[in-house]
């Protein structure tokens, strides 16, 4: 099985080597690593080319700056793997992350998406853990795991065909939350894993650390749209239960900022 790893690159010359090294040393030969230089004005374009010259598994896209969604979409467009995943270039993987996850997918070909646990570092250190579980329906996964609160793109491996006809919405913050319900409308079978392999590095420049009216508004819009999409899809889920859960989530967001 071929895994395509998409790494958007923009103004990360101090963390890029760490990120790429953590991917190329995962012990998987049959892997496609796509570095998407999103018009970065620093040394990143040259660093991407240097890495590609040393590892045949690496491909580089140089494009005009279009934002994170645009960069991810450019990577999806040329991905050839049966499975696809994302890594932000200021983050990195722990060793032996992808191999056991890909083995699990090989042993259970019915699984369309697997979500694994991660660390959050920066200022304070938090651990986000998921239980080892499999969900046969998207609504079961959505409600049991409160998936609207962790619709992150990067700690998941997806069957690439889930993205057929779907791309990240450009010009939006929280683009992963906007897209996730559309992926779930295809009713994939989903597994969660306690394997803690993704290291999410918060910085003062991270979107999640920037508190302003525009960010909060877009997050609330994304949450409400997610609720509407999941409710209008003919799942077995009771709509009132979903909206109650989403109201609690939105209330938590407002409390955290004010």
């Amino acid at each position: 099985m071929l895994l395509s790893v998409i790494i958007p690159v923009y103004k990360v010359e101090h963390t890029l080597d760490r990120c790429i090294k953590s991917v190329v040393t995962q012990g998987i030969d049959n892997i496609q690593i796509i570095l998407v230089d999103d018009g970065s004005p620093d040394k990143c374009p040259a660093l991407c080319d240097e890495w590609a010259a040393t590892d045949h598994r690496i491909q580089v896209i140089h494009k005009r700056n279009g934002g994170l969604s645009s960069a991810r979409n450019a990577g999806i467009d040329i991905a050839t793997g049966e499975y696809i995943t994302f890594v932000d270039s200021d983050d990195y993987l722990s060793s032996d992350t992808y191999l056991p996850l890909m083995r699990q997918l090989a042993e259970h070909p019915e699984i369309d998406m697997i979500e694994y646990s991660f660390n959050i570092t920066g200022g304070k250190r938090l651990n986000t853990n998921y239980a080892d579980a499999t969900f046969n329906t998207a609504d079961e996964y959505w409600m049991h795991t409160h998936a609207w609160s962790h619709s992150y793109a990067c700690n998941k491996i997806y069957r690439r065909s889930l993205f057929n006809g779907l791309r990240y919405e450009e010009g939006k913050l929280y683009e992963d939350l906007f897209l996730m319900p559309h992926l779930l409308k295809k009713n994939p079978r989903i597994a969660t894993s306690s394997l803690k392999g993704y290291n999410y590095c918060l910085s003062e420049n991270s979107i999640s650390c920037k508190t302003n009216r525009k960010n909060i508004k877009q997050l609330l819009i994304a949450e409400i749209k997610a609720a509407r999409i999941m409710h209008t899809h003919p799942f077995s889920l009771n709509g009132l239960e979903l909206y109650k859960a989403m109201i609690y989530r939105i209330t938590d967001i407002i409390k955290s900022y004010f």
Side-chain angles (χ1 to χ4, degrees), residues 9-172:
V9 177
Y10 185 73
K11 288 186 177 181
V12 286
E13 62 182 32
H14 299 298
T15 61
L16 183 59
D17 283 344
R18 178 186 65 182
C19 174
I20 298 173
K21 184 178 180 180
S22 76
V23 176
V24 301
T25 57
Q26 286 295 308
I28 301 178
D29 292 327
N30 198 19
I31 191 172
Q32 177 191 29
I33 302 168
I34 304 171
L35 306 179
V36 184
D37 162 34
D38 191 35
S40 189
D42 54 8
K43 298 178 182 178
C44 285
L47 290 173
C48 289
D49 290 337
E50 289 173 11
W51 272 101
T54 63
D55 194 318
H56 70 279
R57 299 171 298 174
I58 296 177
Q59 295 175 247
V60 180
I61 299 173
H62 296 289
K63 60 182 288 296
R64 286 187 176 184
N65 178 252
L68 181 58
S69 292
S70 174
R72 284 181 181 163
N73 291 339
I76 295 170
D77 289 343
I78 70 164
T80 59
E82 181 179 356
Y83 294 93
I84 193 170
T85 190
F86 304 92
V87 181
D88 286 346
S89 47
D90 49 359
D91 302 331
Y92 65 98
L93 301 173
S94 299
S95 59
D96 300 321
T97 296
Y98 286 155
L99 199 56
L101 294 171
M102 294 306 293
R103 284 174 178 161
Q104 183 175 349
L105 289 171
E107 293 168 0
H108 299 279
E110 72 278 6
I111 295 175
D112 300 299
M113 185 181 92
I114 187 166
E115 177 176 30
Y116 57 100
S117 303
F118 63 98
N119 297 310
I120 302 177
T121 62
K124 60 181 179 178
R125 185 180 182 89
L126 299 173
N127 296 326
T128 303
N129 303 312
Y130 305 113
D132 295 311
T134 301
F135 302 93
N136 294 318
T137 63
D139 63 316
E140 181 186 1
Y141 164 76
W142 184 256
M143 288 301 300
H144 184 80
T145 72
H146 293 184
W148 55 84
S149 65
H150 51 91
S151 293
Y152 318 112
C154 292
N155 67 321
K156 300 172 180 66
I157 297 176
Y158 315 80
R159 192 180 301 279
R160 182 166 58 90
S161 59
L162 288 176
F163 285 86
N164 290 348
L166 293 177
R167 291 295 185 269
Y168 288 97
E169 190 169 350
E170 298 184 16
K172 294 284 189 183

Side-chain angles (χ1 to χ4, degrees), residues 176-209:
D176 38 13
L177 179 56
F178 277 100
L179 181 65
M180 180 59 74
H182 293 284
L183 294 173
L184 296 184
K185 283 179 70 175
K186 298 188 176 184
N187 207 28
R189 190 168 188 179
I190 301 167
T192 55
S193 172
S194 59
L195 187 149
K196 193 178 299 179
Y198 194 90
N199 296 284
Y200 176 50
C201 302
L202 285 173
S203 70
E204 61 183 16
N205 293 321
S206 300
I207 291 174
S208 54
C209 290

